[in-house]
Amino acid sequence: MKNVTALERKSERELVITRTFNGPVSMVFDAWTKPELLKKWWTPKGYGIEFLSCEIDPRTGGRYKFVFSSPQFPKPMEFFGKYLEVIPNKKLVWTNEEGIEGGEVTTVTFEEIDGKTRVVMHELFATKEALETDGTGAAEGMKVTFEQLEEMLAASA
């Protein structure tokens, strides 16, 4: 049975994306925290977006910085922030500081159930307007990237 990605708006400022992946939690967590793996699935390939660089320091207080190129962007785009909490194989919490002040906070939890991993991704936006401007498109993109993660995990098994 194919895994599906569920997208739910929990409040005026919060989106939740849930999906179960075929694979143990350690494999799925590594895909989120190792640059060489993250670069394989994070950008939606159909949009023509590619990593130019991927710097990750996945520890509480560590930082990340992604730089992307795309035929639709006049110049490379940078996404960066700080890891607020990292619990290996359980939880990642990070800030998204490239947008408006008081940008969104992303929380991802990992739970292994019968050899599969349930991932719940919470996106908490600073305002209702930020969610409506930036959130819904990004959430739709996550459906695509989660499909790519599933494919990468299957190829690695």
Side-chain angles (χ1 to χ4, degrees):
M1 184 171 161
K2 183 174 169 48
N3 295 318
V4 295
T5 302
L7 173 62
E8 181 180 2
R9 187 170 178 160
K10 286 285 194 178
S11 72
E12 290 184 344
R13 297 177 39 223
E14 185 179 16
L15 291 175
V16 177
I17 305 165
T18 305
R19 183 172 179 132
T20 298
F21 294 93
N22 297 323
V25 70
S26 61
M27 181 184 243
V28 177
F29 190 83
D30 282 353
W32 288 74
T33 56
K34 294 186 174 181
E36 68 275 14
L37 298 177
L38 188 73
K39 289 166 61 175
K40 292 181 178 178
W41 66 272
W42 186 260
T43 60
K45 291 183 175 71
Y47 297 8
I49 301 170
E50 294 183 18
F51 268 100
L52 295 176
S53 68
C54 178
E55 301 169 22
I56 301 174
D57 182 10
R59 60 183 174 84
T60 300
R63 300 196 64 84
Y64 72 90
K65 181 179 175 184
F66 305 150
V67 180
F68 303 110
S69 69
S70 168
Q72 294 102 14
F73 306 154
K75 61 181 183 177
M77 293 186 63
E78 293 185 355
F79 294 86
F80 51 91
K82 181 171 138 182
Y83 289 99
L84 300 176
E85 184 176 7
V86 176
I87 303 172
N89 301 323
K90 299 257 185 230
K91 188 176 189 182
L92 293 169
V93 182
W94 69 82
T95 63
N96 299 277
E97 300 173 4
E98 67 282 349
I100 61 172
E101 186 174 329
E104 72 209 54
V105 174
T106 303
T107 301
V108 182
T109 58
F110 304 84
E111 178 184 13
E112 189 165 322
I113 303 168
D114 298 328
K116 295 184 175 187
T117 301
R118 182 173 188 257
V119 172
V120 180
M121 181 174 182
H122 294 256
E123 297 274 4
L124 180 60
F125 291 82
T127 65
K128 174 183 174 185
E129 292 75 24
L131 185 153
E132 291 171 357
T133 302
D134 300 330
T136 52
E140 289 298 322
M142 285 309 296
K143 288 182 178 179
V144 174
T145 59
F146 277 9
E147 285 290 328
Q148 295 172 175
L149 174 56
E150 185 78 55
E151 292 169 10
M152 187 194 78
L153 294 169
S156 300

